[in-house]
Amino acid sequence: MPEDAMERRWYVAQLKPNGLQLARRNLERQGLEVFCPLQRVERRRGHRVSSVLVPFFPGYFFVALAPAGGEMRAASHTRGVARLVALGPEGPKPVPAALIAALRASCSPDGILQPPGLETYEVGEAVRVTAGPLAGHVSRIVALAPEDRIWMLLDLMGRETRVAVKRSDVKRL
């Protein structure tokens, strides 16, 4: 890792319209680290609902820059970047490292923000339903669905029934 990379701090950069991919590609070519947390949202088009990834901070992203040297100037003049955000007349201010660390801890390895308070579960793990009409039932997880649902087998009316429950509505035993 180069010496100047050790001194880098995170700054907020404003994007030009639809410039995220262009800015990310050009900044990474310059050897700069870019962080743009994404969130999954559902969009309706006609009768179809699809899940898409969109930036958590639309129009903005974070870039790690060394305050001394030409990185700040180069980053602010990169294609796709409108400007580095200045919070006062002195120019751009670094974002607290703790904020970036907290955001990264809340993201999956591919940069997608995970909903707060959701635990990760394993198939076969015993859980208790804590909310909804099935509250109080205990079962083992049989499958994990990508849309924040957990499939489990519950004994309902003398029969084992496969049901889907929101991940936030279960608690590990």
Side-chain angles (χ1 to χ4, degrees):
M1 182 179 258
E3 280 183 36
D4 60 343
M6 305 267 294
E7 301 171 15
R8 288 185 175 158
R9 297 186 191 147
W10 289 97
Y11 291 86
V12 177
Q14 185 177 17
L15 293 164
K16 289 184 177 175
N18 298 316
L20 177 60
Q21 297 308 322
L22 180 64
R24 180 187 304 239
R25 183 175 52 245
N26 288 321
L27 288 168
E28 287 174 349
R29 282 182 187 161
Q30 296 174 41
L32 300 174
E33 188 176 0
V34 175
F35 176 55
C36 182
L38 302 171
Q39 66 180 343
R40 190 171 300 281
V41 296
E42 292 188 358
R43 297 262 168 93
R44 180 179 298 265
R45 179 174 275 191
H47 294 291
R48 291 185 12 205
V49 176
S50 61
S51 181
V52 296
L53 292 173
V54 297
F56 188 67
F57 303 106
Y60 298 91
F61 68 100
F62 301 100
V63 60
L65 304 168
E71 285 185 355
M72 291 185 73
R73 180 174 168 79
S76 64
H77 290 85
T78 297
R79 291 185 65 191
V81 176
R83 65 186 178 93
L84 293 178
V85 176
L87 302 175
E90 307 84 44
K93 296 276 187 205
V95 174
L99 174 66
I100 300 296
L103 279 170
R104 286 193 151 180
S106 300
C107 289
S108 66
D110 51 352
I112 302 170
L113 279 170
Q114 303 300 308
L118 289 184
E119 297 183 48
T120 56
Y121 295 100
E122 304 275 333
V123 173
E125 192 172 1
V127 293
R128 177 186 310 273
V129 181
T130 59
L134 301 172
H137 283 81
V138 175
S139 182
R140 293 209 177 274
I141 297 172
V142 294
L144 299 169
E147 59 275 350
D148 293 328
R149 298 247 176 224
I150 292 177
W151 288 94
M152 55 181 57
L153 290 176
L154 292 179
D155 184 14
L156 298 173
M157 299 175 62
R159 247 176 113 180
E160 270 197 339
T161 306
R162 187 174 176 193
V163 296
V165 180
K166 285 197 289 186
R167 195 177 291 243
S168 59
D169 290 348
V170 297
K171 191 83 167 166
R172 181 177 280 120
L173 289 180

